Amino acid sequence: MSNNAQAIPFFTPPSIQYAQLGFLKIAELACRQKGDKVWIGEKEDAVLLLAGARHIRLLIEQESQFVKEFDHLSSASTIGRILLGQSLTTSKEGEEWRLARKLTTPLVNPKTALLKQGTELSARWLLNVLQDPAQISLREICLHWALMCVAEGFFGQGISLSQLNTLIDHFRRIYLQLIIAAPTSDYEELCRHPALVAFRQEAESLLGPLLNDAKPGNTTMLERLCQALSPEANPEARERVINLLLGNLAASVDNTGIALLWSLTHLSQHPHYQQAVREETAHGKRNMASAIVRESLRLTPVTAFFERRVAENLVVDGHVITAGTRVLFSPWLVHRNPACWAEPLCFRPERFLSEDKIAPEIFLPFSVGKRNCVGMTLALDQLTTAVVTLCENFQISLSPSTSPAALTPLFELNVVPRGDISFILGSIHSAELNDCIR
C-alpha cells in the first residue's frame, strides 16, 4: 500500500460486528461514515471498496488494469476457481477466458429451441406449483424454476431434475465449506479437501456417462461443448467440459432463481404494476414486465459486490493504488446511491420505460465490461416470461404473515431475503384466493 493510499479512510469494525451485521451492512456503514472510497478490514489485509459510479466508469475505461483474483484465499473467486476450475466465471485472463467465453456465448441464446421451450414450460409450472398448499418454500420454488429453465437445454434428457438439483445443492454446501476452511488452509490443502474430492467424483459419475454418449446432434450445451473440445480423447478437455457445465449451471440457477424471488416479492407489494402488465400483454407487449424485472435487479441485485485485483499501479481519485491491491466494486451501493438514482429505495419500474439510455456505470446487475454475465439476455427473458405468465393468471399480494424483517436483505452466496415470505394468490379468472406460499 502506498503512503498516498494510506490517506484513504479505514473502516475496521470489531469481529463481533461482522458477525452481527454481515458484510453488506458493514459496507453500507463504512460508506455512510467514511465516503465511497474506503479500506475495510485490518490494515495488513484490508480490501479497498470503490463504491461510486465514477469508479465503475474507471473500471470500464481501464478494464485491463483490474483483473480477476485467483490467488488470494480470502477471495470468493479463488474458492470458485478451486471448485470449478476453467469454468467461464473462474477462467483466468487471456486465452483461457477467451475460449470459455467463445464456447459459452452461443449456448445461452434465449432463442435456442430447447432454452426457449424450457423458459415457457417452467413459467407454466410456476402457475401450478404456486397454488399447491403443500409447498412451503418460495425460495426453493424459484430455484427449481430456474433449474427447469435450463436443464434440458444444457444437459438434454439423460439426467433428471432431481439429480441436477442434488448436484447443485452439494455445490453450494462445498463452496461454503471451502470458504470456512480457507483461513486455516493453504491453496494445495483446499484442492485436496475431502468434500471437494467427493464432489468431483460425484460430478464425474453423473455427467461422465453423458459425455461418453454425446452425439453430434448439436442441440444441447453438453453436446456442443463435446463437439468443440473432444473430451473423449483428452482428460483435460473432459474436465474442462464438466467445469464449464457446472459453472454455467450454478450461475443460471442461483442468480436467476433468487432474482425471481426478489421480483415477485417487489411485485406483490404493487398491484397496479401487475395490472399494467396484464394490459400490455393483451396487446402483445412486455415492456412493463421487463421494466419490473430490471427495477427489481436495480433495487435488490443478487450480486452485491464483485472483486478485482489491480494489475499495475493506478491513480484513483488522486491516490496511488499499488499493483496487487484487492478492490471491491458494488452494484448494491451504486444502485442505491441518490446521486445516481432519484428516490433510490423506491420501487419504480418507470425508470426503465424512458427512451433515455441508462449509463452502464449506474446499472450493473450483471457486472460490467468484458467479464459481465454472458447469460444476461437469457436471464432477462426467463424472468420477464415468468412475470408475464403469473400476472396473466394471478393477483399476487404479500401476506400479512410475512414480517418486515423477512424482506430485509441477507448477504450469503448472493443477496437473498432474510426470512420466509408468504403470498396471497388471487385468480383473476375467479374470486378464489390462496394463501399458499411461505
Side-chain angles (χ1 to χ4, degrees):
M1 183 186 301
S2 68
N3 291 333
N4 182 254
Q6 292 188 44
I8 298 173
F10 273 81
F11 188 80
T12 311
S15 57
I16 190 171
Q17 196 171 32
Y18 271 110
Q20 291 174 338
L21 299 180
F23 188 79
L24 184 60
K25 286 296 180 184
I26 290 291
E28 289 180 331
L29 190 59
C31 287
R32 195 154 50 242
Q33 293 185 8
K34 304 292 186 177
D36 64 6
K37 180 174 70 272
V38 55
W39 295 101
I40 297 181
E42 301 290 342
K43 285 195 175 183
E44 60 272 15
D45 197 36
V47 62
L48 179 60
L49 175 62
L50 299 178
R54 68 188 182 283
H55 301 131
I56 304 298
R57 171 52 60 184
L58 178 68
L59 168 63
I60 294 170
E61 294 174 348
Q62 301 189 43
E63 189 169 7
S64 63
Q65 295 281 17
F66 298 95
V67 297
K68 210 159 185 179
E69 170 68 73
F70 294 119
D71 298 318
H72 201 293
L73 285 182
S74 64
S75 166
S77 296
T78 303
I79 303 302
R81 173 76 182 188
I82 291 172
L83 184 52
L84 292 173
Q86 296 176 321
S87 74
L88 176 58
T89 56
T90 58
S91 56
K92 292 184 177 180
E93 303 292 339
E95 183 56 31
E96 183 178 298
W97 174 82
R98 284 191 289 272
L99 177 59
R101 185 85 177 192
K102 179 181 178 181
L103 289 170
T104 303
T105 299
L107 307 183
V108 290
N109 185 335
K111 295 181 181 179
T112 301
L114 287 178
L115 290 178
K116 184 177 181 180
Q117 175 181 291
T119 296
E120 294 169 352
L121 290 177
S122 60
R124 291 200 290 272
W125 173 83
L126 272 177
L127 292 179
N128 295 322
V129 76
L130 287 177
Q131 299 176 81
D132 184 354
Q135 297 293 337
I136 60 171
S137 171
L138 181 60
R139 178 173 175 173
E140 291 305 315
I141 287 172
C142 290
L143 290 172
H144 193 77
W145 161 83
L147 176 60
M148 289 184 67
C149 282
V150 299
E152 188 170 350
F154 284 10
F155 298 96
Q157 297 180 341
I159 186 169
S160 70
L161 286 172
S162 176
Q163 288 173 308
L164 287 173
N165 190 57
T166 299
L167 186 64
I168 198 167
D169 185 58
H170 289 173
F171 165 83
R172 296 184 194 107
R173 281 191 280 155
I174 292 161
Y175 191 95
L176 289 172
Q177 283 182 268
L178 295 180
I179 288 175
I180 292 169
T184 57
S185 305
D186 61 31
Y187 194 97
E188 295 302 320
E189 284 177 319
L190 277 188
C191 290
R192 297 191 301 270
H193 193 287
L196 175 60
V197 173
F199 176 73
R200 285 176 173 160
Q201 292 172 344
E202 179 186 13
E204 169 62 34
S205 68
L206 285 174
L207 302 182
L210 300 182
L211 270 63
N212 296 337
D213 296 338
K215 304 292 192 298
N218 211 29
T219 56
T220 69
M221 177 179 288
L222 184 147
E223 289 170 343
R224 295 178 73 176
L225 288 175
C226 287
Q227 185 175 0
L229 296 174
S230 302
E232 71 283 353
N234 186 338
E236 291 184 2
R238 184 182 186 87
E239 182 180 358
R240 172 173 274 192
V241 169
I242 290 175
N243 286 337
L244 283 167
L245 287 167
L246 288 175
N248 292 336
L249 177 67
S252 297
V253 173
D254 281 12
N255 290 345
T256 313
I258 298 304
L260 178 65
L261 176 58
W262 279 118
S263 293
L264 297 183
T265 300
H266 293 304
L267 190 59
S268 69
Q269 300 171 73
H270 298 279
H272 59 293
Y273 290 131
Q274 298 177 46
Q275 181 59 30
V277 170
R278 291 184 200 104
E279 292 172 358
E280 276 201 345
T281 303
H283 295 89
K285 297 181 179 180
R286 308 201 321 172
N287 295 343
M288 177 56 77
S290 176
I292 287 167
V293 168
R294 292 172 188 270
E295 176 66 350
S296 177
L297 289 167
R298 181 201 66 81
L299 187 56
T300 45
V302 297
T303 301
F305 306 95
F306 59 91
E307 184 175 346
R308 296 291 185 265
R309 175 174 54 81
V310 176
E312 300 176 359
N313 289 0
L314 181 71
V315 176
V316 178
D317 296 346
H319 298 277
V320 177
I321 309 302
T322 56
T325 298
R326 293 165 53 227
V327 176
L328 280 183
F329 297 97
S330 179
W332 182 275
L333 294 172
V334 170
H335 289 185
R336 290 170 164 245
N337 187 339
C340 301
W341 300 91
E343 299 181 287
L345 301 185
C346 294
F347 185 75
R348 289 175 46 196
E350 295 89 348
R351 306 174 202 271
F352 294 93
L353 295 177
S354 169
E355 294 183 359
D356 295 336
K357 186 175 181 180
I358 295 175
E361 63 264 33
I362 67 170
F363 183 62
L364 54 153
F366 298 96
S367 190
V368 72
K370 69 178 186 181
R371 295 199 76 131
N372 69 347
C373 176
V374 71
M376 172 177 62
T377 303
L378 175 62
L380 289 172
D381 184 64
Q382 292 165 343
L383 291 162
T384 302
T385 299
V387 167
V388 167
T389 303
L390 291 176
C391 287
E392 282 182 312
N393 291 273
F394 294 129
Q395 181 75 29
I396 309 170
S397 58
L398 196 64
S399 171
S401 64
T402 301
S403 69
L407 303 177
T408 59
L410 176 65
F411 183 42
E412 294 179 334
L413 295 180
N414 40 33
V415 181
V416 300
R418 188 172 297 272
D420 293 333
I421 295 172
S422 296
F423 288 161
I424 296 173
L425 301 180
S427 171
I428 65 168
H429 305 300
S430 71
E432 180 182 358
L433 294 177
N434 294 297
D435 187 355
C436 58
I437 300 299
R438 291 175 291 279

